[in-house]
Amino acid sequence: MRGLIHQPHGMLVVCGPTGSGKTTSSHASLSEIDRFVRNVVTIEDPPEYVFDGATQIPVNEAAGMGFANILRSLLRQDPDVIFVGEVRDKETAEIAMQSALTGHFVLTTLHANDAPTTVTRLLDIGIDVSLVQSALSAVLAQRLVRMLCSKCREAYSPSRQELKDLRRSGITSDKVSHLYRAKGCPACGGSGYRGRTGVYELMIVDGAMRQLLVGQPSIESLREAASRGGMKTLVQEAAYKAAKGVTTFDEMRRAVGDAAFEGEMV
């Protein structure tokens, strides 16, 4: 991620459902950038974090100040880094991607289930495949899961179904002697959970991926290509956190969806 954040140009998309922490991850990425060396500008609806040394512009649709209009005007000021709060339409996506091709680093968010789906979503809204090939650097998909309280979590032997689901995510039964479940204590207010952590899926758009995009690929073929390039899926990351006792098996399934364990995301 740090390597992507500090590149001089390109586009990084953070995706996930509402409440998955996209904005927090985006602003954490921006905080890694030296804002006294690089000109950082954000376009948000509304700005959720205050950044010293950055120009933050709120969206005002009623006054004709939408994402696309602000972004078009902003490019005349020659920013180095641009954060677009959300890509909602074809026009905004096209301007953002063209900016990424002309010496700007663009960071934005998009509502999509996982990293490969983000690519097909951009193509579905009408973005030319050559623009996606040239501008997109990487996609970060994420979810939030509740963390087990370390003071009261309870170990138990996993069921056959749980072991089967873990195998589907790449974790063999010989590596999992037990899982943990929530119990509840005064330290966690009786909930059994304390805090949240992220589950991430980072897809780098490399040469092989760009070549694949020529033929309007399916989500499955994109996922396979990304996995060959080293991407760990949301399912694999969530299963790893459950196996390590960071969260529960039920919380893992809730975060990534039951359908993920039927072979749709692995």
Side-chain angles (χ1 to χ4, degrees):
M1 275 296 291
R2 283 193 171 94
L4 291 166
I5 293 162
H6 292 293
Q7 64 184 6
H9 54 80
M11 186 174 187
L12 171 62
V13 179
V14 182
C15 71
T18 302
S20 61
K22 299 188 298 295
T23 302
T24 301
S25 291
S26 299
H27 281 274
S29 299
L30 291 174
S31 69
E32 291 275 323
I33 296 170
D34 188 340
R35 296 181 296 281
F36 295 100
V37 174
R38 302 179 74 186
N39 182 11
V40 178
V41 183
T42 73
I43 308 169
E44 301 172 81
D45 184 21
E48 296 181 40
Y49 293 84
V50 177
F51 273 106
D52 292 333
T55 302
Q56 296 181 268
I57 306 172
V59 169
N60 187 344
E61 295 286 358
M65 296 281 286
F67 281 107
N69 290 336
I70 295 174
L71 186 55
R72 193 180 291 107
S73 301
L74 183 65
L75 293 174
R76 300 190 186 99
Q77 301 176 24
D78 193 29
D80 298 310
V81 179
I82 305 170
F83 171 55
V84 182
E86 184 182 350
V87 169
R88 297 175 179 172
D89 52 53
K90 177 184 177 182
E91 184 181 15
T92 304
E94 281 186 338
I95 299 172
M97 287 189 157
Q98 287 164 358
S99 302
L101 292 176
T102 54
H104 307 89
F105 175 66
V106 180
L107 178 63
T108 189
T109 71
L110 182 73
H111 287 276
N113 288 331
D114 58 13
T117 304
T118 298
V119 176
T120 58
R121 174 88 188 277
L122 289 170
L123 296 175
D124 288 343
I125 65 174
I127 305 301
D128 189 82
V129 65
S130 62
L131 192 56
V132 177
Q133 278 181 303
S134 305
L136 193 62
S137 300
V139 181
L140 177 71
Q142 67 179 72
R143 298 288 191 279
L144 289 177
V145 295
R146 292 179 295 170
M147 296 173 65
L148 277 165
C149 174
S150 60
K151 295 184 181 298
C152 67
R153 64 179 187 172
E154 186 176 65
Y156 71 96
S157 297
S159 67
R160 291 180 63 184
Q161 183 60 49
E162 288 171 334
L163 290 173
K164 182 179 179 181
D165 288 341
L166 287 173
R167 280 197 302 274
R168 284 176 172 169
S169 61
I171 299 176
T172 56
S173 56
D174 62 307
K175 295 180 180 179
V176 184
S177 58
H178 56 268
L179 295 173
Y180 290 89
R181 58 187 163 213
K183 184 178 180 182
C185 70
C188 59
S191 68
Y193 297 95
R194 192 170 185 179
R196 293 190 295 176
T197 188
V199 175
Y200 302 98
E201 176 181 275
L202 180 61
M203 184 180 78
I204 306 295
V205 182
D206 55 14
M209 182 74 69
R210 290 189 171 91
Q211 188 64 34
L212 183 63
L213 286 171
V214 176
Q216 298 287 328
S218 64
I219 294 175
E220 289 73 21
S221 58
L222 285 170
R223 187 172 293 119
E224 289 172 4
S227 295
R228 287 195 300 270
M231 182 189 81
K232 296 292 187 293
T233 67
L234 286 169
V235 173
Q236 290 169 328
E237 286 293 296
Y240 175 78
K241 280 185 164 58
K244 294 289 287 184
V246 176
T247 189
T248 63
F249 192 85
D250 290 340
E251 186 71 4
M252 173 192 76
R253 292 188 70 110
R254 180 199 63 76
V256 299
D258 288 340
F261 293 94
E262 301 303 323
E264 294 185 11
M265 290 179 64
V266 179

